Amino acid sequence: MIDKLSQLFDIAKGSDKKIAVAAAEDEIVLKAVKEAIERDLAEFVLFGDATELKKLCTNVGLSEGFKIVHAASTSEAVTAAVEAVACGKADLLMKGKIKTGELLSVYLKEEYGLRAGRTMNLVSVFEIPGFDRLLIVTDAGMVIAPSLKQKVDSIVNASKVAAALGIDNPKVAILGAIEVVNEKMPATIDAAILSKMAHRNQIPDVIVDGPLALDNAISEEAARHKGIDSPVAGKADILIMPDIEAGNIFYKAMVFLGGALVASTIMGGKAPIVLTSRADSDLTKLLSIALNVLIAKGASK
């Protein structure tokens, strides 16, 4: 089982996976690509304006381990990158200089066969200073107000990331502000339903409990203090956030206040998507590439 994100580099090293970068004309993305190639994590196909890409590659010192495929427009680059994944010429997709929604609108077209029948969402893995294990968290940036069905899909997506990290039967905490069901707080009702669904194997290969407040989910001492007897309380591997606000605040608090390292992926389709933001550190971008390569390796077994 992986307990440090830096271990991703060793496990992903020497991978034969190929990453299609959609609209790759972005120095920040290309710097991440360069570092990934230098660490022997993957090969890359860069889709975009060939003249601009050659200039940018020179600027960042990127000279090997990649191929450029010319596209006359951003939309053409995105379509070509998605098609490369759909037909098996690439193993996973990476977002370049384009909005996430524009990329997903092409990825989800039925003609490409990349849908897996689940909601797609952002899954992030945190290494938090002073904490004894990695925490898998969803969703900090895509699904605004998840329905019960979308929360089920979120658990499944997160559990697949957990499997890639070597965590069997992950413990899943459905978070809320309190640890009891309150009819005025819909998140607590969803949590209770999800717990029962998992108990009856409607959500397989996971141990689910909720509602749990954050302290009860991650601290055994806090759970004991409140008299919570649960296989998940204090031991959670996965945190399911009630909505995007909670997820986004948690993400940024961990990174900017807690000094956490993080790697992220978009799950729910047949191939993972590497999502990097301009606000992410270079290390976060590199860790995200390594995580997605590892997930793709597991999916191909």
Side-chain angles (χ1 to χ4, degrees):
M1 185 174 70
I2 295 173
D3 56 12
K4 298 288 184 184
L5 287 177
S6 59
Q7 293 173 257
L8 292 171
F9 297 139
D10 293 331
I11 299 172
K13 186 174 182 178
S15 162
D16 61 354
K17 297 303 176 185
K18 190 169 290 185
I19 300 176
V21 185
E25 305 97 318
D26 186 302
E27 277 200 13
I28 294 173
V29 170
L30 293 175
K31 284 178 181 178
V33 168
K34 177 177 180 288
E35 286 210 38
I37 291 170
E38 289 174 349
R39 287 181 178 264
D40 194 23
L41 301 180
E43 296 179 6
F44 290 81
V45 184
L46 310 177
F47 293 86
D49 181 86
T51 302
E52 181 68 11
L53 279 172
K54 287 174 183 176
K55 182 177 73 174
L56 290 173
C57 287
T58 299
N59 290 347
V60 302
L62 180 56
S63 60
E64 59 182 2
F66 69 96
K67 173 185 176 184
I68 291 175
V69 175
H70 177 70
S73 65
T74 297
S75 61
E76 184 179 309
V78 174
T79 298
V82 171
E83 286 178 347
V85 174
C87 70
K89 292 181 180 178
D91 300 288
L92 58 156
L93 191 63
M94 181 171 177
K95 184 175 85 78
K97 196 174 183 179
I98 185 175
K99 293 180 181 178
T100 302
E102 293 175 293
L103 181 63
L104 289 178
S105 67
V106 178
Y107 183 101
L108 290 172
K109 287 183 177 179
E110 289 189 16
E111 62 203 79
Y112 297 123
L114 293 172
R115 294 183 180 185
R118 295 193 308 276
T119 302
M120 296 185 71
N121 63 345
L122 182 68
V123 182
S124 302
V125 184
F126 291 87
E127 179 185 326
I128 303 166
F131 196 64
D132 65 350
R133 61 190 180 275
L134 297 178
L135 270 180
I136 301 166
V137 178
T138 183
D139 181 329
M142 287 186 63
V143 183
I144 296 172
S147 65
L148 181 68
K149 172 61 168 63
Q150 288 173 322
K151 288 178 182 178
V152 172
D153 291 343
S154 187
I155 293 170
V156 174
N157 290 340
S159 71
K160 290 183 178 298
V161 175
L165 298 175
I167 303 171
D168 296 322
N169 294 310
K171 298 175 177 66
V172 182
I174 313 299
L175 295 189
I178 57 176
E179 60 281 344
V180 295
V181 175
N182 184 322
E183 64 179 12
K184 295 180 180 179
M185 303 173 75
T188 68
I189 297 172
D190 282 355
I193 294 171
L194 291 165
S195 299
K196 181 56 70 175
M197 289 175 71
H199 181 70
R200 293 186 174 176
N201 209 37
Q202 288 178 264
I203 314 173
D205 304 320
V206 291
I207 303 167
V208 179
D209 197 15
L212 289 170
L214 178 61
D215 56 344
N216 306 319
I218 62 172
S219 167
E220 291 186 62
E221 182 180 351
R224 279 195 302 269
H225 183 71
K226 290 196 174 182
I228 300 172
D229 182 16
S230 160
V232 174
K235 306 180 186 73
D237 301 300
I238 296 171
L239 305 179
I240 303 297
M241 295 291 167
D243 54 37
I244 197 171
E245 281 91 354
N248 194 269
I249 290 168
F250 179 91
Y251 184 110
K252 290 173 180 173
M254 290 302 101
V255 173
F256 291 100
L257 296 176
L261 296 177
V262 63
S264 296
T265 177
I266 296 179
M267 296 291 290
K270 291 185 178 178
I273 300 175
V274 186
L275 178 70
T276 59
S277 166
R278 287 181 175 270
D280 288 334
S281 70
D282 290 345
L283 181 56
T284 292
K285 296 179 180 70
L286 193 59
L287 287 168
S288 296
I289 290 172
L291 174 65
N292 281 271
V293 167
L294 190 58
I295 293 167
K297 285 175 69 175
S300 63
K301 290 180 181 179

